[in-house]
Amino acid sequence: MADRGCPLEAAPLPAEVRESLAELELELSEGDITQKGYEKKRAKLLARYIPLIQGIDPSLQAENRIPGPSQTTAAAPKQQKSRPTASRDERFRSDVHTEAVQAALAKYKERKMPMPSKRRSVLVHSSVETYTPPDTSSASEDEGSLRRPGRLTSTPLQSHSSVEPWLDRVIQGSSTSSSASSTSSHPGGRPTAAPSAAATPGAAAATALAGREAHTHIGVPVNSRVSSKIQQLLNTLKRPKRPPLKEFFVDDFEELLEVQQPDPNQPKPEGSETSVLRGEPLTAGVPRPPSLLATLQRWGTAQPKSPCLTALDTTGKATYTLTYGKLWSRSLKLAYTLLNKLTSKNEPLLKPGDRVALVFPNSDPVMFMVAFYGCLLAELVPVPIEVPLTRKDAGSQQVGFLLGSCGVSLALTTDACQKGLPKAQTGEVATFKGWPPLSWLVIDGKHLARPPKDWHPLTQDTRTGTAYIEYKTSKEGSTVGVTVSHASLLAQCRALTQACGYSEAETLTNVLDFKRDAGLWHGVLTSVMNRMHVVSIPYALMKANPLSWIQKVCFYKARAALVKSRDMHWSLLAQRGQRDVSLSSLRMLIVADGANPWSISSCDAFLNVFQSRGLRPEVICPCASSPEALTVAIRRPPDLGGPPPRKAVLSMNGLSYGVIRVDTEEKLSVLTVQDVGQVMPGANVCVVKLEGTPYLCKTDEVGEICVNSSATGTAYYGLLGITKNVFEAVPVTAGGAPVFDRPFTRTGLLGFIGPDNLVFIVGKLDGLMVTGVRRHNADDVVATALAVEPMKFVYRGR
């Protein structure tokens, strides 16, 4: 067995060892064992009969079946010794079988057709397109050669001159693996001729083995039988662990995201381009005071006993009526105290222009009104906020951010409200999470100082700068402050007075929050300009008695009422059995959320029930507003010159594409909306596209309402970036020309201009939901739920 790479003694091998070697040769020829497995088992059988060679690994001794040239020469004398005739190792020395193998090779070479095989040769390699770069963390190169995916190609390796070096190394490694049986592993070893087989009982198997080794060495696949287990193992190893090379250059988004193609049949706007709609001019020639504070001074001194504000408790009883004289005197005391009695390190704590937080509950409109006008008289900027309930309230944290950005250091409140605030261990008001450090001032009468007779605030001059800051919460939960200048405040009061036809000594019942939005504009500001009497109904009373506002309208003979559609809905549920109420005194029922699509159902149902109790159809006046643009539009009664009210029955499918299509009311896939009246006096309105440059919309297209007026907000306090985008929009025509010489304010309201120049609102920008190319609004979901609630199912069209 000297041809296996180790000199052996002349002693013959035991019969059982020879039988085991013959079985191994047969298993290898049948394909039931791999070449590496054959070498390991053979080395294990011969280990005790082969002496160790110093400095050479035993595994290498077992694997080197073919000696190098030097070893052949040195072992020649020993090979001449007599050997048993039954030794199977003699077949490797047979020249006859070597010639037979060479003849077979030449025969297959002439055919030029590969024989079926389950193994990959050196020259049969994968296409570069389907190969994967090497991975140092993966298995060995031998395993990688079995894993290579792709189709077989007959192109020689030498023809790929531009193949990457790593591919050359992979193929070389595969060559080493596939031809290990025919290449010497000794230093300097080289491929040799295929061994021959002896004329022994396993000669046929040995010949097939030798022929397969020779063919594998030169790259020609030959026919062989491979067991199913080994074939399954090879197929498993052939599966790539990494994607093919070309997949490394494919963007995942191209596979995951399908670009939705526009529907060729979808509705598209076909009307002409809209133009700027100009509101009626402010009435000229009517004597007006130079400022709201001058009006307060006038009523406080000339009509001191005239009622200004009546507060109710949770049982509906009037707890206190504030007169214009009391409002004027208490506001003066507060202004003097803020400017002269508050010091920090012997210096005034406040100076003109500083911001002050107003913390008052919804049940105390009297003290809020005193605090608001006291700040205006002291030339301070009031920032009304909600009363914090807990130290870690999430909404309170956002308000704290607003207070911090406004630089607020002082909060005004009442004694009762302060006692209800969370306290620290020291007994002082706790520091709320996210809030800046604040000083608290209780403004009840006993805590205020009477001003000297020669002290007079500035009331006659028209002031510049910010009058107050109103908070706004976006859909993401963040809170920003909308600044309203003194000029905008005065212009808003004048526009509302003209649009609503307010007159002196009228009574207004207010159900809304008096600290912000329409409740503040009508119930605190415009009412003082016209010396009106406001009956403020707390929210707790409405929850206990939803019919209370109607009862107060009837009791005080109110000429105007300020409500929301929810209040009208609740009163319908509680009106049964109430026969002594009458709404004949109302000339305006202002619906503050009339722009919501579901408001029309409340208005219609309320009219159907209370029309028999003195309510006239033309009295219902929905309006539209936003924190940025204040009041945008309001419906006027016919006696004020307004056109008759209108409804629009619109296709829901068309609205989802931003297109206005009038439909029939009998269908279930429609949305019915009501007009919110005409634009405010002195205002200019246009409708622009939602995305990108604010181009004017077409007449049958839904867009965002934009307003140019002196009665709008001026900025988001301290936020210059979004301020320019919202308060300084420049609408342009299709040709790119600006439509007006002054910028517009975006309202965040989605709608269009209908017949008689009436404004229709179909949703809000904050509630917009975009799915592909279609647009829906959160308000539509509410309107749909309200429309189908009695039937307990939703129609597909909605």
Side-chain angles (χ1 to χ4, degrees):
M1 302 202 43
D3 57 341
R4 291 294 179 184
C6 297
L8 298 177
E9 300 295 335
L13 294 173
E16 60 271 13
V17 175
R18 291 198 300 272
E19 292 178 0
S20 299
L21 290 174
E23 292 177 359
L24 282 178
E25 295 288 352
L26 183 59
E27 291 179 1
L28 180 63
S29 64
E30 294 291 336
D32 293 334
I33 189 173
T34 62
Q35 180 67 32
K36 184 177 292 187
Y38 166 79
E39 297 289 353
K40 287 184 179 180
K41 289 186 177 181
R42 181 178 179 278
K44 185 176 181 180
L45 289 173
L46 300 178
R48 57 184 298 182
Y49 304 103
I50 302 177
L52 295 178
I53 300 177
Q54 186 175 5
I56 300 179
D57 190 276
S59 63
L60 296 178
Q61 299 178 27
E63 292 178 358
N64 296 332
R65 299 187 303 163
I66 303 175
S70 60
Q71 292 177 336
T72 304
T73 305
K78 294 184 179 181
Q79 292 174 356
Q80 296 175 358
K81 293 182 179 182
S82 62
R83 293 177 179 271
T85 57
S87 176
R88 297 180 60 188
D89 294 331
E90 287 296 325
R91 69 181 186 273
F92 296 107
R93 309 295 302 171
S94 174
D95 295 334
V96 176
H97 288 289
T98 300
E99 294 175 359
V101 169
Q102 296 295 339
L105 291 176
K107 182 178 180 181
Y108 286 122
K109 187 174 182 182
E110 292 176 359
R111 293 184 180 181
K112 293 184 179 180
M113 57 181 297
M115 298 186 68
S117 175
K118 298 295 183 180
R119 300 187 181 183
R120 194 69 54 82
S121 66
V122 177
L123 298 182
V124 181
H125 56 83
S126 302
S127 173
V128 178
E129 294 182 356
T130 59
Y131 208 81
T132 304
D135 188 355
T136 56
S137 62
S138 61
S140 63
E141 290 183 352
D142 292 341
E143 295 176 351
S145 64
L146 296 176
R147 288 199 310 268
R148 289 200 303 268
R151 61 183 184 278
L152 296 177
T153 175
S154 59
T155 307
L157 177 64
Q158 288 80 5
S159 64
H160 291 274
S161 59
S162 61
V163 175
E164 294 88 337
W166 60 264
L167 185 57
D168 295 334
R169 293 198 300 270
V170 172
I171 296 178
Q172 292 171 7
S174 177
S175 172
T176 305
S177 174
S178 61
S179 60
S181 61
S182 59
T183 305
S184 174
S185 62
H186 290 289
R190 63 180 184 273
T192 60
S196 60
T200 58
T207 303
L209 173 64
R212 178 177 60 192
E213 291 179 350
H215 290 351
T216 303
H217 171 63
I218 63 174
V220 179
V222 298
N223 187 17
S224 65
R225 289 182 296 173
V226 181
S227 67
S228 60
K229 292 183 178 180
I230 293 181
Q231 183 61 49
Q232 183 179 5
L233 174 63
L234 292 176
N235 293 337
T236 302
L237 295 176
K238 287 180 181 179
R239 299 172 184 171
K241 291 185 177 179
R242 303 178 67 188
L245 178 63
K246 62 180 181 179
E247 294 188 12
F248 280 91
F249 306 97
V250 178
D251 194 351
D252 294 339
F253 289 100
E254 296 180 3
E255 300 177 356
L256 299 178
L257 298 181
E258 180 182 356
V259 179
Q260 187 171 1
Q261 300 297 330
D263 184 5
N265 298 323
Q266 74 181 43
K268 298 179 181 179
E270 301 171 352
S272 59
E273 186 177 74
T274 59
S275 58
V276 176
L277 177 61
R278 299 178 182 270
E280 61 187 275
L282 286 170
T283 305
V286 178
R288 296 292 182 184
S291 68
L292 185 60
L293 295 179
T295 305
L296 174 61
Q297 183 181 21
R298 173 188 174 186
W299 303 134
T301 55
Q303 302 283 343
K305 295 183 179 181
S306 179
C308 174
L309 178 65
T310 297
L312 306 178
D313 60 12
T314 55
T315 63
K317 295 182 180 180
T319 57
Y320 185 80
T321 296
L322 179 69
T323 63
Y324 278 92
K326 287 293 185 180
L327 176 60
W328 170 248
S329 62
R330 290 187 180 183
S331 300
L332 277 180
K333 288 183 180 180
L334 178 58
Y336 178 77
T337 302
L338 292 174
L339 294 179
N340 298 279
K341 297 299 181 180
L342 301 181
T343 59
S344 175
K345 298 180 181 179
N346 297 327
E347 293 185 0
L349 180 65
L350 301 171
K351 60 182 182 297
D354 285 350
R355 278 70 58 194
V356 177
L358 305 188
V359 185
F360 295 90
N362 292 337
S363 58
D364 196 353
V366 172
M367 296 308 295
F368 172 82
M369 203 168 188
V370 171
F372 191 91
Y373 280 100
C375 289
L376 294 184
L377 288 172
E379 300 183 54
L380 301 174
V381 180
V383 185
I385 62 173
E386 301 297 335
V387 177
L389 302 179
T390 61
R391 298 182 61 178
K392 297 182 180 181
D393 181 57
S396 178
Q397 295 181 35
Q398 295 294 336
V399 174
F401 173 79
L402 171 64
L403 297 179
S405 62
C406 292
V408 174
S409 60
L410 177 67
L412 307 183
T413 188
T414 61
D415 187 48
C417 183
Q418 187 187 40
K419 289 179 180 179
L421 295 176
K423 301 295 190 298
Q425 295 181 352
T426 58
E428 298 179 351
V429 178
T431 301
F432 299 98
K433 187 176 182 180
W435 283 38
L438 294 180
S439 300
W440 293 83
L441 177 64
V442 176
I443 65 168
D444 296 88
K446 59 183 178 180
H447 299 283
L448 302 181
R450 183 182 296 273
K453 293 183 179 181
D454 58 347
W455 186 83
H456 300 286
L458 297 176
T459 60
Q460 300 298 326
D461 296 336
T462 302
R463 301 180 183 179
T464 59
T466 302
Y468 72 95
I469 297 177
E470 181 173 319
Y471 74 90
K472 174 199 173 182
T473 303
S474 65
K475 64 178 180 180
E476 293 86 7
S478 60
T479 301
V480 296
V482 179
T483 62
V484 180
S485 65
H486 285 278
S488 296
L489 185 151
L490 182 61
Q492 169 80 343
C493 293
R494 290 178 175 176
L496 284 177
T497 299
Q498 181 173 330
C500 299
Y502 288 139
S503 59
E504 293 183 23
E506 275 192 325
T507 301
L508 167 72
T509 57
N510 180 23
V511 186
L512 308 185
D513 183 5
F514 49 80
K515 298 188 298 294
R516 59 194 300 265
D517 208 59
L520 175 66
W521 306 331
H522 290 264
V524 175
L525 302 178
T526 308
S527 61
V528 170
M529 172 170 283
N530 296 280
R531 195 173 62 86
M532 297 172 62
H533 179 203
V534 177
V535 180
S536 182
I537 301 175
Y539 190 71
L541 175 58
M542 286 295 299
K543 293 173 65 176
N545 180 14
L547 207 62
S548 58
W549 71 274
I550 297 179
Q551 295 171 347
K552 297 308 173 185
V553 167
C554 182
F555 179 79
Y556 288 98
K557 306 297 180 183
R559 298 281 289 161
L562 185 62
V563 299
K564 286 189 176 182
S565 58
R566 67 177 185 202
D567 307 315
M568 304 168 71
H569 177 73
W570 289 351
S571 61
L572 289 176
L573 303 179
Q575 58 85 27
R576 296 179 181 178
Q578 296 287 335
R579 299 180 180 179
D580 55 345
V581 296
S582 174
L583 299 178
S584 59
S585 63
L586 282 179
R587 64 173 187 84
M588 284 193 74
L589 178 58
I590 303 173
V591 185
D593 63 339
N596 292 327
W598 66 80
S599 179
I600 185 174
S601 59
S602 298
C603 294
D604 291 346
F606 189 82
L607 178 62
N608 291 335
V609 172
F610 287 94
Q611 189 171 4
S612 60
R613 303 180 186 181
L615 181 66
R616 292 167 293 168
E618 64 271 13
V619 167
I620 299 178
C621 298
C623 66
S625 62
S626 73
E628 294 83 0
L630 307 187
T631 306
V632 178
I634 187 170
R635 185 189 292 175
R636 275 79 145 175
D639 56 351
L640 296 179
R646 287 183 177 269
K647 295 181 181 180
V649 182
L650 307 176
S651 167
M652 293 282 286
N653 180 64
L655 288 177
S656 67
Y657 290 102
V659 178
I660 303 163
R661 292 292 182 265
V662 178
D663 215 320
T664 59
E665 199 166 0
E666 290 77 15
K667 291 186 178 180
L668 298 173
S669 58
V670 297
L671 179 68
T672 304
V673 294
Q674 62 186 353
D675 71 278
V676 290
Q678 299 167 291
V679 300
M680 293 296 291
N684 301 296
V685 170
C686 66
V687 185
V688 301
K689 296 183 181 296
L690 303 185
E691 297 89 9
T693 305
Y695 289 102
L696 289 178
C697 289
K698 295 184 178 180
T699 54
D700 59 342
E701 186 177 7
V702 175
E704 183 179 5
I705 308 294
C706 294
V707 176
N708 167 261
S709 172
S710 58
T712 63
T714 56
Y716 292 124
Y717 189 89
L719 303 175
L720 299 179
I722 59 177
T723 290
K724 185 175 182 60
N725 181 49
V726 174
F727 294 91
E728 300 178 16
V730 182
V732 295
T733 62
V739 300
F740 208 65
D741 57 353
R742 293 190 300 273
F744 282 67
T745 299
R746 293 180 177 269
T747 65
L749 301 175
L750 306 181
F752 59 94
I753 306 299
D756 295 332
N757 292 333
L758 295 175
V759 179
F760 288 84
I761 305 297
V762 297
K764 296 181 176 64
L765 196 61
D766 280 348
L768 189 63
M769 300 178 293
V770 180
T771 306
V773 298
R774 305 186 70 173
R775 301 186 306 212
H776 306 277
N777 207 280
D779 294 337
D780 299 339
V781 179
V782 179
T784 298
L786 293 176
V788 302
E789 181 182 6
M791 292 171 282
K792 303 299 182 184
F793 65 91
V794 179
Y795 290 99
R796 184 177 62 179
R798 297 188 67 93

